Amino acid sequence: MTINVGGTFFLRPGSICRMAVVAGLVGVLLPAGGCTSTSTNNAAPTSLTEGPKDTGSYPNLNVPPPVAAKQLTKEETAANLAQLKAEEQAQAAKGGSVKAPANAAALNKLAKTHGDDTLKQIEGKCDPALDPSCN
């Protein structure tokens, strides 16, 4: 495999003639290929191809834009907030608050020894009682 494939083709005597022939073929074939299409399904919308238009006047930024959806009235907002508060109170009555763990002593012991056990497994000094796949 050679690196100078392009150099041997374009830098020999007559290379200008070859480049002219290639450029001529490309110049003839590309426009002809563009004229053969009759489908307008793939045409880009005119707003994307035309760009900005000069209307001769500045836009009026004082005109409020149209709203996208119907705005809630104050009564609807108050009703929705009342419904949310009622649902919040119902969840709190069911026991939605945070409770203390049932076995806090076991969790504290796990917190103290978990780091050491993990380091032993990582360093290869694993305990078969903790990890059955340990050698």
Side-chain angles (χ1 to χ4, degrees):
M1 189 164 157
T2 61
I3 296 175
N4 295 327
V5 171
T8 59
F9 182 76
F10 290 109
L11 296 178
R12 285 190 174 168
S15 63
I16 294 175
C17 295
R18 278 191 290 262
M19 287 190 286
V21 169
V22 170
L25 286 175
V26 170
V28 169
L29 294 178
L30 285 180
C35 295
T36 59
S37 175
T38 58
S39 173
T40 58
N41 293 339
N42 295 337
T46 56
S47 62
L48 295 177
T49 58
E50 291 179 5
K53 293 182 182 179
D54 185 10
T55 60
S57 64
Y58 292 104
N60 187 356
L61 300 178
N62 296 321
V63 177
V67 293
K70 180 182 136 282
Q71 302 296 308
L72 295 176
T73 63
K74 290 184 180 183
E75 294 80 20
E76 290 173 329
T77 303
N80 287 342
L81 284 175
Q83 181 183 2
L84 286 174
K85 292 285 184 184
E87 290 176 4
E88 178 184 22
Q89 291 172 354
Q91 284 182 356
K94 289 181 184 177
S97 63
V98 177
K99 296 180 183 177
N103 195 354
L107 290 176
N108 287 334
K109 180 183 175 195
L110 176 65
K112 289 178 184 176
T113 61
H114 180 70
D116 294 332
D117 294 341
T118 305
L119 282 175
K120 286 179 185 176
Q121 288 178 354
I122 291 172
E123 293 171 350
K125 302 173 191 169
C126 56
D127 184 10
L130 296 174
D131 186 11
S133 63
C134 178
N135 294 332

